[in-house]
Amino acid sequence: MAGSTGTVGVLALQGDFREHLAVLSGLGASARPVRRAEELAQVSGLVIPGGESTVMDKLARTFGLAEPLKAAIASGLPVYGTCAGLIMLADRIANPIDGQQTLGGFDVTVRRNAFGSQTESFEVDLDVPEIGSPAVHAAFIRAPVIEQFGAAVAPLASLADGRVVAARQGNLLGTSFHPEMTGEQRFHELFLRIVAAA
Amino acid sequence: MSDTTTNEQLGTSRVKRGLAEMLKGGVIMDVVTAEQARIAEDAGAVAVMALERVPADIRAQGGVARMSDPDLIDAIIAEVSIPVMAKARIGHFVEAQILQALKVDYIDESEVLSPADYVNHIDKWKFDVPFVCGATELGEALRRITEGAAMIRSKGEAGTGDVSEATKHIRTINSQIAALTTKSPDELYVAAKELQAPYELVAEVARLGRLPVVLFTAGGVATPADAALMMQLGADGVFVGSGIFKSGNPVARAAAIVKATTFYDDPEVLADVSRGLGEAIVGINVADLAAPHRLAQRGW
């Protein structure tokens, strides 16, 4: 698989980027951290990890990465966002902090911390037809949910109450949960297939 | 699209440790008012630590330092959307119960407050909320993890602005871990005895080459260079206590320390963010502190 995907980047401004790099490397992909625009130019796909979206947003803008990222997404760069990464990809945040911006591209409205404080964080098994059997064991940590989505967005998984927690729109993939934390590799495999086909 | 197939599990080790994983590469800032919490979030703090007095003031004013007023914690939780941590006294499991009821995101069982129990720490497995605990060396870190801590911070010497103890503690922990990785399986039994920690946990650290939880540093970090020093020494992130709001320009210093923590290995960025920050915390040299006033020696 590595030969067909080129080098895949992981946004390394803050968060659990090392875990994503480990999953991608474990799948045979060439993976590297990305903190600068010149590093972004060298990758054929990008994972935006879990972390704090407010922090990633500020650092991306301060260090001149936000505009190149928006341009890359607009020109079709495959991007997979987990948790905070999904928030960064969303066109709209239902409850941003003052001045918070996103990269956008994903025609969804997300709600940050949709479940409340950390004591409401949880693990659960999710059926994800796109991924197949067995069920995905998912960790939700102060996680967001997708509240609304446009016609181009395909929801991939939802909780028992119907709230959407995984979706795809063309080359963009987003999950509210953290496959990189539970030994789940199939979302990264799906993402590498998207990168290879792009 | 389809429904979930099993029930949700709350308060698991994975989600407790997992929140700390999400804080990596970030700066956790001490705040004593909602206004300071707002400044911290705007500056790019990855979480805030809500407390009534920063360690420098606890030192200066003396007296017994306790858990914060619930009204203060409520006000800070209402003000920001990033995780809110709060401190309980070592061994004071009722303060921890109260903090969990207040829905803080993390509890710091902290030597910065006056210990409530000079023998036992809190049984942290009993809680859904995760705990971070301080450590000066590997055995102490492993004992806290055994009690249920989901995150470790090296202690440093809080409220001094002197980074030397933080340096000593992170170096000590990491060199002890490195030493474990070179030991043969039969030597790990003695290592466990010497570290006063369970064999299984010692063997796990030897295999992983790191702690099974996130390791931040704390205690005396005052400048962007201090934060980058901690990161280059192998910390996953930093706590900054008195160093921000006891400095001349908290807004600029907080943002600069955030940038330095992300670009900790880039001296040009570090030089740039170190400019124009005004006065750092005046500080106290740890060498001038009499032993009874060293907070890092609390905890066992």
Side-chain angles (χ1 to χ4, degrees), chain B residues 42-256:
Chain B
D42 287 345
V46 77
V48 292
M49 177 74 70
L51 69 176
E52 292 209 334
R53 295 182 286 172
V54 293
D57 287 335
I58 291 173
R59 265 184 203 295
Q61 296 162 9
V64 175
R66 308 180 178 90
M67 178 191 82
S68 297
D69 186 322
D71 286 342
L72 173 72
I73 292 169
D74 282 349
I76 289 171
I77 289 173
E79 183 65 31
V80 296
S81 66
I82 55 178
V84 175
M85 301 182 166
K87 290 184 191 289
R89 283 180 268 178
I90 289 174
H92 206 316
F93 52 86
V94 175
E95 284 189 348
Q97 290 164 4
I98 292 168
L99 292 173
Q100 175 165 276
L102 293 172
K103 295 192 176 297
V104 303
D105 295 296
Y106 240 94
I107 294 175
D108 184 2
E109 186 182 17
S110 178
E111 71 283 359
V112 167
L113 304 184
S114 306
D117 187 330
Y118 280 91
V119 179
N120 306 291
H121 283 69
I122 297 169
D123 177 0
K124 293 165 274 285
W125 297 112
K126 288 186 172 174
F127 292 79
D128 281 343
V129 66
F131 283 74
V132 55
C133 288
T136 59
E137 47 90 26
L138 181 58
E140 194 177 4
L142 297 181
R143 289 191 291 279
R144 297 295 86 77
I145 293 168
T146 304
E147 296 155 0
M151 178 179 185
I152 295 293
R153 54 173 174 75
S154 61
K155 285 180 179 175
E157 190 56 42
T160 60
D162 180 345
V163 80
S164 62
E165 290 293 292
T167 305
K168 181 166 82 183
H169 298 156
I170 189 81
R171 278 192 186 276
T172 299
I173 291 169
N174 282 332
S175 65
Q176 288 174 301
I177 291 172
L180 277 188
T181 64
T182 67
K183 290 188 186 297
S184 60
D186 56 340
E187 292 172 329
L188 291 176
Y189 293 103
V190 175
K193 185 191 77 175
E194 289 171 352
L195 289 166
Q196 299 177 54
Y199 169 79
E200 291 73 20
L201 189 52
V202 170
E204 183 182 8
V205 171
R207 190 176 67 249
L208 294 173
R210 59 174 175 78
L211 294 179
V213 302
V214 165
L215 173 63
F216 271 47
T217 58
V221 174
T223 67
D226 289 349
L229 176 66
M230 295 299 114
M231 296 298 287
Q232 289 199 28
L233 288 172
D236 289 320
V238 294
F239 285 83
V240 185
S242 317
I244 290 173
F245 289 101
K246 286 289 168 187
S247 75
N249 187 344
V251 173
R253 185 166 296 270

